[in-house]
Amino acid sequence: MVENLFGRIMNQVCENPSSQRDVTLQPKRPALSWGVKIKRKLKSVAPFLGRFRPLVGQCCHQCTPESLGLKLLCNTPPLGFQNLTCVNETHTGYRGWLVRRVCCLLFVWGREVHPGPAGDRRHRVHSSERVKKALVTACSSDETKAMELEMPEVRGHLDTILAVTQTFISPSLLRLVNWLLLKIFDLMFCNVQINLNQVAALRRSTQLKAPLVYVCVRQSSIDHALICLTLFCHNLRVPYTIFPAHVRQTWLRSILQRLGVVLLPEGSGSERDAEMDSLYSPVMTSFIGELLRGGASLCVGISTAEGHSGQWLARVHQAISDGLVPDVCIVPVGISYDCLPCHVIRSQASVMSALGFALSLLKGDHRGSVRIHFAQAFSLKEMCESGKCRVDGGRPLQDLLMTAIVHNRMDSIFSQKDVSWLLPDAVMPELPPAHRQQTIALTLHLIYSSTTNMAVMSTSLVSCLLLHKHRKGVRVSMLCRDICWLLEEVLFRNTDVGFGGSLVGLVHHAVSLLRPYLLLAAAPPTGEPIIAPRSDPDSLLILSKQCDVITRVFIHEAVGACAVSAMLSEVVGCGGGEDLEFDAVLGQNELTEKSLQLTHLLSPGYIPPCQNAHSFALDVVDSMVRCGVLVMEEVQTDAPVCDFMKRHGVLSWTVSDNPDESSDSDCEEPDIHTYKLSQPSQCPKLLFFLCSLLSVQLRALCWALESLHYLPLPITEKDCLSQLHTHLKNRAQLDGARYESSSIDLVKMALRTFIDLGVLIEDRQREDVYLDANPLFSQGAYKEKLVLFFKQFMFN
C-alpha cells in the first residue's frame, strides 16, 4: 500500500527541483527500496548547516573547564561513521572466500579483551571497614561479639549479598556473546551507527590512567548491550554493567555474572527493596570501590525516577573520597532509536513474547537504525571538588509556586527547585549531606548531558509533525517541506541528526517504520498520498514517545510559547471576549514570570543544571524573538534609540538645589521592553506548534488533578500510580482523543509534581510509602486555582 501510494508521487519529486533537497550529513549505504525504481538520479543539495556537522558531546564549560580544555573531541579531522553490525573480511587480517564466510567469527576472536577475575574480591569486601560497621549494627551493639560470632540469619543474608561480588568477565564467553549480539542486532536494526571521532576521543581518554564510567539514560533492556558491544568491537575495555534487576533463573544469573553484569541479590524484589537493606548499601559501596581500584570500567543507567539514579554515582564518588582511586572519568552516552521494538521495552518477558520477538527478527520487516553518541569524558574529581559546580539544595516546589498560584504573588519564584528526591535520605543513609548534594548535582548534569547528546532520528521528525502540526492529515509534498524546515531548525540548535540520504528516501524510511501507527489515503484528483496518525491509544502513545527528543530541542521556544498563550488568555479574561486578541502588547517582566513558573514544572533534564531558572526564563523570552514569534516594540522617547550618549546620560546632568538629592540614577532611564506577536492579523501557526509540544504534559497534570478525588486516600504509592493511570486512560477514552497524555511516564511525572507541590503528603514507612491528600487542597477553591494554573499554559 505504501509503495503504491508513494510511487504516484515519485515522478513529481523527480521533476520538481525544489523537492530534491538532500539531507545527507554522512553517506550511508542504500538499504531501502521505494518499490519502484527511480530512473532519474536526484540532485544533491546540502541543507542549512548540512556541510558542518554540529559538534555535540562537549563537557560543561562551567563545572569542568579543565576537562573541556583537553579538547578530546576537537583534535582530529572528521573520521565519519561506522556501521557496527557490518563486519566483512576487511575487518580481519585475512583474505579469501572462506574468510568471507566466517569473517564475523574471526573478527570477534581477534578483539582484545581485558579479563576481570574475581580473585579474593569477596574477602576484601567482607573485610572492609564499611561492611564491618554495618555488621556491628545488624548483629549487636557489642563489636567483639559481632565479629566473633555473627548471627546465623545475618551471616546467611550477608552471603547472599556477597555473592554479587563474584561477578567477573570471562574472555571466551564474552567473545561468544558478542558474536551472537552482532548477529541479533544485524537482524533487529538496519544499522548501528558509531561516530568514529568520539571513539578516538575515548581512546585518548584511556591515556589519562583513570577508570571510565559510562552513564546513559535508561530506555530499554538493550542499552547496556549496545554500549558494551561498541567498546568490545573497538578494542576498548568492556565495563562491568550495573543492571539492578532480579533474575530468577540460576543458569541465566550465572551467565550474566560471567559477563560482568551486576544483578540484584537473590530474594530482592526490586531495587528499592534492596536499597532499604542495611547491609546491601555498604557491600555495594565497597564492591564498586574494589572494581575501580582494579582499573575496571563501569556502565550505569540513570533515570528521573526516585532512588533509581544517584546511589551508584554516589558510590563512585565515595571511592574517590576513600582514596581508592585518584580520579574517575565520566562519559555520558546518548542512544537514539528509530523505532525501538516493543519486545525490548518490557521489563518482564514471557515465553510467547520471546517467540514473537524471534519471529519478528526472522521476518526482518521495518528495521530501524540506532545512533550511539559518546560524549567527552570529564573528571569527576574536578566537578565535585573544584567548587565550580552548583550544589545548592534549592527550595521546595511548594514554596516556589504556591504563593503564585493561591495568592498571585511572584516574589518567591526566583529560586531553584529542590530535587532531593533523586537521592532520598532513605537510600544510603550513611552518606554525608555534602556528598549527597554533590551527587544530586552530578545526576542532574548527566541526565541533561545524556539526553542532549541523543541524535534526532527521522521517525522523530515525522512523528512530531504529524502529532503536533498535522494531526488531521497532511499531503506528502507538504510533509517534505515541513521536514526540511524542522531539520534546519534542529541543526541550527546544535543538535545532531541520526540519518542520511535524500529527502524522498528519508520520508519513505520513516513512514515505513511508523506504518502500523499511521493512516494513508490517496487525495483526488491527483492521487497524492495523505498521511495521518491513527487515533487508537497505542499508536498515539508510540508517536508521542518519538516526539520527546524534539520537545527537548525546542524547550526554550515551547516554554515561551506557553507563556505567551497564558498572557493572551489573561487578556481575554480581562476583556471579556471569547477569542484571543493577537494584537496585544506583552511586557518582558510578565513574560519572564510566566516562563519561570512553567520552568519549575519541568522534569529534570530539560534545562542546563548550571543555569539558574531565572536566567533560563530570560533566554526563553529572547528565543521567542529569534524564532520570529515575537517582535520587540521600540519605546517612543524624545531621544532616538541609537543615541547611546544621551540615553546613558554621558553628557547630561541633573540640576538640583540640594546636592544631597542628586545621584547617578538621575541621568539613567530604565529600558522598558514590550513585545507583540509577529502575525497579529492571523493565527500564528508556529505559536500553536510550539504550544502543542508541552500540552501533552500539561494536559496530563490537569487530568491527574481532576482524578485525585476518585482515589481511596490514604493509599500506597504503587497503588496510587496504578489507579491514577487507569483514571487517565478512562479520561482519554471519554475525551475521544489525546491518548498520548495518559502514558505511565506522564502519570509518574504528575504524581511527583503533586508531591512536590504539597497536594499529596508522603508518609514514609519501612514497608512502603503512603500518600494522603493535603487538607488545603480538599477545598474546591484551591483545587480550582491549581487547575486554572495548569490550563493557562495550554492553548486550546
Side-chain angles (χ1 to χ4, degrees):
M1 178 65 178
V2 176
E3 289 79 2
N4 295 333
L5 289 174
F6 275 100
R8 300 179 183 179
I9 197 174
M10 287 292 212
N11 296 330
Q12 301 177 12
V13 174
C14 293
E15 295 174 359
N16 185 7
S18 63
S19 62
Q20 295 175 9
R21 303 282 303 276
D22 193 341
V23 295
T24 304
L25 296 181
Q26 183 66 30
K28 72 170 188 177
R29 59 176 186 177
L32 292 176
S33 173
W34 284 87
V36 295
K37 295 182 179 180
I38 304 179
K39 298 181 180 180
R40 188 173 180 178
K41 186 178 180 180
L42 297 178
K43 183 179 178 180
S44 177
V45 180
F48 179 72
L49 291 182
R51 299 184 185 274
F52 307 97
R53 176 173 293 277
L55 180 61
V56 297
Q58 290 184 307
C59 53
C60 181
H61 68 279
Q62 178 175 334
C63 299
T64 54
E66 296 181 6
S67 299
L68 182 63
L70 297 177
K71 297 182 179 180
L72 298 177
L73 287 174
C74 305
N75 291 337
T76 58
L79 301 177
F81 287 80
Q82 176 194 10
N83 183 10
L84 196 65
T85 59
C86 181
V87 179
N88 51 44
E89 60 178 330
T90 61
H91 296 91
T92 66
Y94 309 95
R95 296 292 184 272
W97 65 271
L98 181 60
V99 175
R100 286 192 291 270
R101 284 157 178 79
V102 294
C103 59
C104 186
L105 192 62
L106 292 174
F107 170 76
V108 168
W109 246 254
R111 297 297 89 191
E112 180 183 0
V113 177
H114 302 270
D120 61 342
R121 187 190 301 143
R122 174 170 179 164
H123 174 70
R124 295 197 304 269
V125 172
H126 186 271
S127 303
S128 63
E129 292 296 328
R130 183 176 289 103
V131 176
K132 288 181 181 179
K133 292 181 180 179
L135 284 174
V136 170
T137 305
C139 296
S140 172
S141 59
D142 188 355
E143 182 177 357
T144 304
K145 179 181 178 181
M147 300 311 300
E148 292 180 354
L149 183 62
E150 297 178 3
M151 298 175 62
E153 58 272 16
V154 175
R155 185 188 306 114
H157 181 56
L158 180 62
D159 291 340
T160 303
I161 300 176
L162 287 173
V164 180
T165 63
Q166 294 298 104
T167 302
F168 67 98
I169 295 178
S170 172
S172 300
L173 184 60
L174 183 65
R175 289 190 175 97
L176 176 61
V177 171
N178 279 282
W179 175 74
L180 291 174
L181 288 177
L182 283 173
K183 297 297 183 180
I184 292 175
F185 288 152
D186 188 43
L187 295 173
M188 187 183 303
F189 306 108
C190 62
N191 56 63
V192 180
Q193 296 290 335
I194 308 297
N195 192 327
L196 295 180
N197 284 81
Q198 297 172 353
V199 175
L202 279 181
R203 294 188 186 279
R204 291 190 290 272
S205 300
T206 57
Q207 300 175 2
L208 301 177
K209 304 303 181 181
L212 297 180
V213 177
Y214 302 91
V215 182
C216 65
V217 175
R218 298 177 185 175
Q219 299 181 74
S220 68
S221 56
I222 64 174
D223 295 338
H224 298 297
L226 286 169
I227 295 175
C228 294
L229 179 63
T230 302
L231 300 175
F232 171 82
C233 291
H234 289 90
N235 283 332
L236 294 170
R237 181 184 288 271
V238 177
Y240 283 80
T241 302
I242 308 298
F243 190 70
H246 178 58
V247 179
R248 296 183 177 88
Q249 293 81 2
T250 305
W251 62 272
L252 184 57
R253 288 185 63 93
S254 178
I255 292 176
L256 292 176
Q257 286 186 335
R258 283 169 171 78
L259 295 174
V261 180
V262 180
L263 302 170
L264 289 178
E266 294 184 6
S268 299
S270 63
E271 185 178 9
R272 174 184 288 181
D273 297 338
E275 292 292 345
M276 294 297 105
D277 193 338
S278 60
L279 292 179
Y280 176 79
S281 181
V283 170
M284 288 296 104
T285 303
S286 300
F287 174 51
I288 294 299
E290 290 295 332
L291 289 178
L292 294 176
R293 187 170 67 171
S297 300
L298 297 178
C299 184
V300 181
I302 59 176
S303 67
T304 56
E306 179 181 353
H308 291 77
S309 301
Q311 67 270 26
W312 297 104
L313 299 176
R315 288 167 184 140
V316 173
H317 184 206
Q318 194 67 34
I320 300 178
S321 302
D322 295 342
L324 299 178
V325 288
D327 197 3
V328 172
C329 289
I330 306 294
V331 183
V333 183
I335 305 178
S336 304
Y337 298 93
D338 252 340
C339 194
L340 193 62
C342 59
H343 304 86
V344 300
I345 304 178
R346 301 170 183 172
S347 58
Q348 297 181 353
S350 61
V351 177
M352 296 302 297
S353 63
L355 291 176
F357 178 57
L359 291 176
S360 65
L361 291 181
L362 294 177
K363 291 173 61 178
D365 294 338
H366 313 303
R367 298 186 305 160
S369 59
V370 182
R371 172 66 63 85
I372 304 178
H373 279 179
F374 291 92
Q376 179 180 347
F378 63 88
S379 169
L380 178 60
K381 185 176 182 179
E382 179 189 3
M383 169 169 277
C384 295
E385 298 182 6
S386 64
K388 299 177 182 179
C389 178
R390 294 176 58 95
V391 294
D392 52 331
R395 300 177 60 183
L397 186 63
Q398 182 177 4
D399 297 343
L400 294 177
L401 290 182
M402 288 314 300
T403 55
I405 296 173
V406 178
H407 304 293
N408 198 23
R409 289 172 49 191
M410 304 300 175
D411 53 347
S412 63
I413 63 174
F414 300 96
S415 299
Q416 294 297 107
K417 181 175 66 172
D418 178 34
V419 289
S420 58
W421 47 266
L422 286 174
L423 187 60
D425 295 335
V427 178
M428 298 186 66
E430 72 278 5
L431 197 66
H435 284 191
R436 187 176 299 274
Q437 290 297 330
Q438 289 176 346
T439 303
I440 293 174
L442 175 63
T443 304
L444 289 174
H445 269 82
L446 291 174
I447 291 175
Y448 179 78
S449 299
S450 299
T451 52
T452 52
N453 285 333
M454 294 180 183
V456 175
M457 310 301 285
S458 59
T459 51
S460 298
L461 295 176
V462 174
S463 300
C464 182
L465 290 172
L466 291 178
L467 201 62
H468 297 293
K469 192 174 183 181
H470 304 293
R471 197 178 183 94
K472 296 182 179 180
V474 61
R475 296 176 182 267
V476 172
S477 57
M478 176 67 71
L479 181 63
C480 291
R481 287 193 294 269
D482 286 344
I483 287 178
C484 288
W485 162 76
L486 189 57
L487 171 62
E488 292 180 354
E489 293 293 333
V490 168
L491 293 174
F492 179 75
R493 285 158 179 81
N494 200 32
T495 302
D496 202 359
V497 293
F499 52 82
S502 66
L503 178 62
V504 179
L506 165 66
V507 176
H508 178 266
H509 174 71
V511 173
S512 299
L513 292 173
L514 300 175
R515 182 166 56 180
Y517 321 115
L518 303 177
L519 293 173
L520 289 93
T526 60
E528 182 179 359
I530 294 180
I531 305 176
R534 292 183 179 272
S535 58
D536 59 283
D538 294 337
S539 299
L540 293 178
L541 287 174
I542 291 178
L543 293 177
S544 178
K545 187 68 175 178
Q546 295 287 336
C547 300
D548 289 343
V549 63
I550 302 293
T551 304
R552 296 182 183 274
V553 173
F554 290 90
I555 189 60
H556 286 87
E557 293 78 6
V559 172
C562 292
V564 171
S565 175
M567 293 191 65
L568 294 177
S569 300
E570 290 183 357
V571 172
V572 174
C574 296
E578 298 181 358
D579 299 328
L580 288 185
E581 179 60 47
F582 292 102
D583 200 13
V585 178
L586 309 177
Q588 183 181 16
N589 293 335
E590 290 78 7
L591 274 175
T592 304
E593 291 173 355
K594 291 294 183 182
S595 302
L596 191 55
Q597 293 174 20
L598 184 55
T599 301
H600 289 318
L601 292 177
L602 297 177
S603 301
Y606 279 98
I607 66 174
C610 291
Q611 187 180 20
N612 60 64
H614 186 222
S615 176
F616 179 82
L618 293 175
D619 290 344
V620 164
V621 178
D622 294 339
S623 67
M624 296 302 292
V625 178
R626 287 196 302 267
C627 69
V629 174
L630 296 179
V631 292
M632 184 184 297
E633 282 195 326
E634 292 188 5
V635 180
Q636 298 296 330
T637 59
D638 297 335
V641 177
C642 60
D643 193 350
F644 178 82
M645 306 288 284
K646 189 171 183 179
R647 285 180 61 206
H648 291 270
V650 179
L651 298 178
S652 61
W653 293 267
T654 300
V655 179
S656 176
D657 295 334
N658 188 0
D660 297 334
E661 295 179 357
S662 62
S663 64
D664 294 338
S665 60
D666 294 334
C667 57
E668 296 180 359
E669 296 179 2
D671 292 332
I672 303 175
H673 297 302
T674 56
Y675 303 90
K676 298 183 73 172
L677 290 181
S678 58
Q679 299 178 3
S681 60
Q682 57 181 344
C683 182
K685 297 181 180 180
L686 181 58
L687 177 65
F688 298 161
F689 170 74
L690 296 173
C691 286
S692 181
L693 294 178
L694 284 179
S695 63
V696 179
Q697 292 92 319
L698 294 170
R699 189 179 299 107
L701 287 173
C702 293
W703 288 357
L705 184 61
E706 295 171 352
S707 303
L708 283 181
H709 68 277
Y710 294 110
L711 303 180
L713 300 175
I715 189 175
T716 62
E717 186 176 3
K718 182 179 179 180
D719 293 338
C720 181
L721 183 65
S722 176
Q723 295 187 26
L724 200 59
H725 187 207
T726 303
H727 285 299
L728 259 67
K729 290 190 292 186
N730 295 336
R731 180 65 176 81
Q733 187 72 28
L734 293 175
D735 191 66
R738 310 297 179 182
Y739 292 100
E740 64 272 16
S741 296
S742 61
S743 67
I744 186 63
D745 293 333
L746 292 180
V747 176
K748 294 179 181 178
M749 180 272 299
L751 195 60
R752 183 71 258 170
T753 303
F754 294 155
I755 295 175
D756 292 344
L757 281 174
V759 179
L760 295 176
I761 302 176
E762 283 185 311
D763 182 15
R764 291 188 173 272
Q765 302 179 9
R766 182 169 178 83
E767 295 79 10
D768 212 331
V769 178
Y770 286 84
L771 300 177
D772 199 358
N774 190 334
L776 177 65
F777 288 94
S778 300
Q779 306 175 18
Y782 290 102
K783 183 178 179 180
E784 184 65 24
K785 287 183 178 181
L786 187 56
V787 171
L788 293 177
F789 175 78
F790 294 147
K791 287 185 176 181
Q792 68 173 335
F793 298 108
M794 296 173 53
F795 186 82
N796 188 3

